[in-house]
Amino acid sequence: MKRERLTMSQALVKFLDNQYIECDGVETKFVSGVFGIFGHGCVVGVGQALEQGGHNLKFYQGKNEQNMALAAVAYAKQMDRKAIIPCVSSIGPGATNMVTACGCATANRIPLLVLPGDTFACRQPDPVLQQAEFFDNYGRTVTDAFKGVCHYFDRIQRPEQLMTACLNAMRVLTDPADTGAVCLAMPQDVEGEAYDYPEHFLQKRVWHMDRRPVTASQLERATALIKEAKKPIIICGGGVRYSGAEKELLEFAEKYNIPISETQAGKGIIAWNHPLNLGGIGVTGGKAANVVARDADLVIGVGTRFTDFTTSSKWLFNENRKVLGINICPFDAYKMDAEAIIADAREAVNALIDSCDGCKFAYTTEIEAAKSEWDAIVDEYYSTELEGGLNQTLALGIINEFMADEDIALGSAGSLPGDMQRLFRPKNRGTYHMEYGFSNMGYEVNGALGAKLAKPDAEVYTFCGDGSFIMGHSELYTALQENLKINVCLFDNMGWGCIENLQNNQGTDTFGTVFRARNPETGMLDGGEIAVDFAKIAEGYGAKSYTIRTSDELKAALEDAKKQTKSVLFDIKVLPKTMTPGYESWWRVGVAEVSTSETVAAAYEDMQKNIKKTFDY
């Protein structure tokens, strides 16, 4: 057996450079670059291996570990989970900064490989710089925090352990049913230790993303359930996108006249103006999907996780409804007490096209009427200008209508995801990119870099509030460094407007959710407004920026920005509380059971009434 003597880090780099995936006969490189921020826990290990060369991995210099990992999540998502950018960090805070991004990846079923440095396996120099000591277990380190947010965790205590660690990491990263974050913790002494690695471990390796077929018995059960239904509705989830099942789903819906609703991850797969597409469903959904879903007797979930926002905390559907769960992941397929069809979405739906021959459903004009009414509501939001300033929904509409067919819209947290699921009209497949499994504030700007790395020829417009921008935007610097243009649409409503609305709607007065100065008279954060010039912040980085207070200024800025070759930021000053409301939905949050406030008590009673309408599973 031929062997090559390499350090653990050198072998890791060579291994990653030789990983490929195959899907439907198409073979592509799985790893083409690495994000990293070097510190003493990785710079002379993985850093040395990358600097030494002999590989084809492009190095991207992150500016904050959480933010570069969020960019990697967005990259993998935009690539439909068929490519990743691993993230390298030092030990201590550099490592734990990536824990949040791992939670984001796992919640969204997105492959993310993090490679944090760790303390010495030999323990001789302990405690080292940035090492947190745990008195109950000397072998425990801060990287154990990754165990709670990763689908696979391993600590490489000896260089030869790299082989089983890497193979299991790739097993998870390329498995559509089990993918999520993977952490390989690397003690800094082991990073530099050598081993005679077998040549076959370092050679090109192809991972096959085989489609799991639907079995005959599964197809029989699913077909019987559909044929019993009178008014079914389809929920199109992110699994439809990752499976590439949109053509089959649309053919199935058209053949049997079944309305389609969308989750955040499933939005943009079916054209928004298709007669059967009722738009977003659930808490951030629109009236059309929610009204039709309320009367549905069969809910056909395709590639959806059935989150609380999709199901309105299991409140949305009527008590006599049945659920058919089509999902590659058994954990998701069985949710909502569903008849579980554990199969690839494209394979399962394609089989249903023929097996359901003879189905006739009871819909007459309901689908058309609901869609027509909702389209008119969206048109009104997109055209109505308020007095006193620029409203958020009008600004969103102006940008949406301006964007070209291939431009990507990206978002994550605050009130904008609700407005975008309800109102946004994506032009083409893959142009709506919403991270709403973790609703990770700070994803927006950093994620835009990842999406741009995935699709360098497309314009990327990221939509974020001022609160999200303040929380994390370091990779704007990296976008400028890489000569990659991203368009940051910053909606400044001077606070966390989405959470203020939630707070007020549940009976509590505004507290801690608007950005105001400390009032010396009251001692509270209810003083004067703090006017932040976000345009100047972007200019300080070297980006082109615009300050916008009117619709005409926004239109002019969009036109000018199209001519720019570097990243731009639109500092859009919008009127607070000008986002969309909920439509025929309910969201369960923990309202105080006892309170001195009558409005809070009333909100608690209202919650109890709605809980009685929900399902326990």
Side-chain angles (χ1 to χ4, degrees):
M1 180 188 297
K2 291 185 177 181
R3 293 178 177 270
E4 184 175 359
R5 190 160 185 81
L6 299 168
T7 68
M8 186 274 280
S9 296
Q10 292 162 1
L12 171 65
V13 168
K14 195 165 185 176
F15 175 87
L16 291 174
D17 192 31
N18 281 295
Q19 302 310 297
Y20 291 76
I21 64 163
E22 176 272 323
C23 183
D24 297 332
V26 179
E27 184 179 294
T28 55
K29 201 171 192 298
F30 194 57
V31 183
S32 57
V34 175
F35 269 116
I37 296 178
F38 291 138
H40 68 279
C42 63
V43 69
V44 297
V46 177
Q48 184 278 332
L50 289 166
E51 184 277 333
Q52 180 172 284
H55 58 82
N56 297 298
L57 301 177
K58 187 173 184 178
F59 177 73
Y60 300 103
Q61 185 189 76
K63 305 303 177 293
N64 172 279
E65 292 86 359
Q66 175 179 315
N67 294 343
M68 73 179 184
L70 290 175
V73 173
Y75 174 85
K77 180 178 176 69
Q78 194 64 44
M79 294 294 289
D80 289 345
R81 308 193 299 197
K82 293 183 174 64
I84 64 169
I85 303 179
C87 297
V88 176
S89 81
S90 187
I91 76 168
T96 55
N97 275 352
M98 297 194 292
V99 171
T100 296
C102 286
C104 181
T106 295
N108 287 282
R109 312 288 202 269
I110 302 296
L112 170 67
L113 175 61
V114 295
L115 303 165
D118 212 330
T119 55
F120 279 70
C122 72
R123 303 184 183 176
Q124 182 273 326
D126 290 1
V128 297
L129 180 65
Q130 297 184 330
Q131 177 179 352
E133 296 177 277
F134 299 94
F135 305 158
D136 66 318
N137 183 342
Y138 207 96
R140 185 150 59 100
T141 77
V142 297
T143 57
D144 284 283
F146 286 96
K147 293 178 179 178
V149 291
C150 289
H151 273 206
Y152 182 78
F153 173 89
D154 208 341
R155 182 177 287 114
I156 303 167
Q157 301 279 19
R158 293 176 57 87
E160 60 266 39
Q161 292 175 357
L162 177 71
M163 293 180 285
T164 52
C166 281
L167 293 176
N168 278 286
M170 287 297 300
R171 168 183 60 81
V172 173
L173 292 166
T174 60
D175 184 349
D178 192 34
T179 196
V182 169
C183 174
L184 299 184
M186 307 180 300
Q188 54 190 296
D189 53 344
V190 181
E191 285 187 53
E193 293 177 0
Y195 182 73
D196 295 323
Y197 289 95
E199 193 175 72
H200 62 78
F201 170 69
L202 304 168
Q203 291 174 343
K204 178 180 176 180
R205 189 181 304 268
V206 180
W207 299 83
H208 301 280
M209 300 183 76
D210 297 324
R211 294 184 179 275
R212 182 169 182 167
V214 60
T215 66
S217 61
Q218 285 180 331
L219 184 60
E220 183 179 344
R221 296 195 302 272
T223 303
L225 201 58
I226 293 170
K227 286 187 173 182
E228 290 172 3
K230 299 299 182 185
K231 290 188 174 182
I233 187 171
I234 294 169
I235 298 180
C236 174
V240 176
R241 172 179 175 172
Y242 302 132
S243 173
E246 57 268 26
K247 175 178 172 290
E248 289 74 15
L249 184 71
L250 192 56
E251 183 179 348
F252 174 64
E254 288 176 336
K255 183 174 182 178
Y256 300 109
N257 193 40
I258 305 174
I260 300 169
S261 62
E262 305 167 313
T263 69
Q264 287 280 21
K267 186 177 175 71
I269 298 170
I270 305 300
W272 71 268
N273 55 356
H274 190 280
L276 291 174
N277 188 353
L278 298 179
I281 190 171
V283 177
T284 53
K287 185 177 180 181
N290 286 347
V291 167
V292 172
R294 195 69 184 170
D295 292 334
D297 59 354
L298 176 64
V299 179
I300 306 172
V302 186
T304 175
R305 298 186 298 123
F306 285 117
T307 68
D308 64 337
F309 263 60
T310 296
T311 67
S312 285
S313 299
K314 300 175 184 172
W315 172 95
L316 182 60
F317 310 110
N318 69 76
E319 63 181 351
N320 296 316
R321 59 87 186 103
K322 294 181 179 178
V323 179
L324 177 63
I326 301 172
N327 207 297
I328 191 66
C329 177
F331 186 86
D332 293 322
Y334 282 97
K335 289 176 180 174
M336 296 287 290
D337 194 28
E339 178 66 57
I341 305 301
I342 304 166
D344 175 77
R346 194 183 78 178
E347 296 297 299
V349 175
N350 191 48
L352 287 170
I353 293 172
D354 292 330
S355 70
C356 290
D357 272 342
C359 285
K360 293 188 180 299
F361 300 121
Y363 288 114
T364 53
T365 61
E366 298 98 320
I367 300 171
E368 182 182 0
K371 183 168 180 59
S372 178
E373 180 188 11
W374 180 244
D375 285 347
I377 291 172
V378 176
D379 288 341
E380 185 174 0
Y381 271 118
Y382 270 11
S383 60
T384 300
E385 192 153 5
L386 302 179
E387 293 183 5
L390 181 58
N391 45 307
Q392 180 165 299
T393 51
L394 176 61
L396 181 64
I398 290 170
I399 300 169
N400 189 178
E401 291 168 3
F402 176 82
M403 290 171 62
D405 290 355
E406 299 300 327
D407 294 349
I408 297 167
L410 184 145
S412 178
S415 60
L416 283 164
D419 285 352
M420 292 179 74
Q421 191 184 13
R422 295 184 186 107
L423 309 180
F424 205 82
R425 292 166 168 171
K427 308 292 177 64
N428 276 334
R429 182 200 190 280
T431 60
Y432 183 85
H433 179 132
M434 186 64 63
E435 183 287 294
Y436 211 57
F438 217 49
S439 188
N440 198 324
M441 295 184 75
Y443 179 91
E444 297 92 335
V445 176
N446 306 301
L449 169 64
K452 185 68 174 180
L453 286 168
K455 302 294 181 183
D457 294 331
E459 290 275 3
V460 178
Y461 291 80
T462 186
F463 296 79
C464 68
D466 48 322
S468 270
F469 182 84
I470 291 168
M471 281 196 180
H473 59 267
S474 65
E475 304 319 304
L476 172 59
Y477 187 104
T478 308
L480 291 161
Q481 182 182 38
E482 294 289 337
N483 298 309
L484 295 170
K485 180 189 175 189
I486 60 175
N487 301 276
V488 181
C489 304
L490 191 157
F491 288 65
D492 181 8
N493 59 8
M494 305 192 74
W496 297 312
C498 172
I499 300 303
E500 183 193 13
N501 274 0
L502 174 64
Q503 186 178 52
N504 297 162
N505 291 340
Q506 301 304 323
T508 302
D509 292 336
T510 297
F511 178 80
T513 50
V514 296
F515 296 161
R516 291 182 176 271
R518 179 77 62 187
N519 187 335
E521 295 182 3
T522 65
M524 306 292 286
L525 294 173
D526 59 0
E529 295 181 347
I530 302 175
V532 179
D533 192 334
F534 291 102
K536 283 188 176 179
I537 293 174
E539 286 176 8
Y541 279 121
K544 174 68 175 176
S545 64
Y546 308 86
T547 300
I548 296 158
R549 291 184 172 84
T550 68
S551 57
D552 287 340
E553 288 176 350
L554 177 57
K555 292 173 184 177
L558 289 167
E559 290 288 352
D560 188 71
K562 198 75 172 177
K563 306 170 189 174
Q564 304 299 322
T565 58
K566 62 182 179 180
S567 292
V568 303
L569 181 141
F570 305 95
D571 185 1
I572 310 169
K573 307 299 184 182
V574 296
L575 293 170
K577 295 185 178 294
T578 56
M579 63 282 288
T580 53
Y583 284 89
E584 305 292 331
S585 64
W586 176 72
W587 186 35
R588 182 175 179 177
V589 291
V591 181
E593 185 172 356
V594 294
S595 171
T596 57
S597 166
E598 291 184 2
T599 53
V600 171
Y604 179 79
E605 290 301 317
D606 182 66
M607 180 185 72
Q608 293 302 311
K609 292 176 183 176
N610 279 301
I611 287 174
K612 292 178 180 178
K613 302 176 185 178
T614 65
F615 300 93
D616 291 334
Y617 40 76

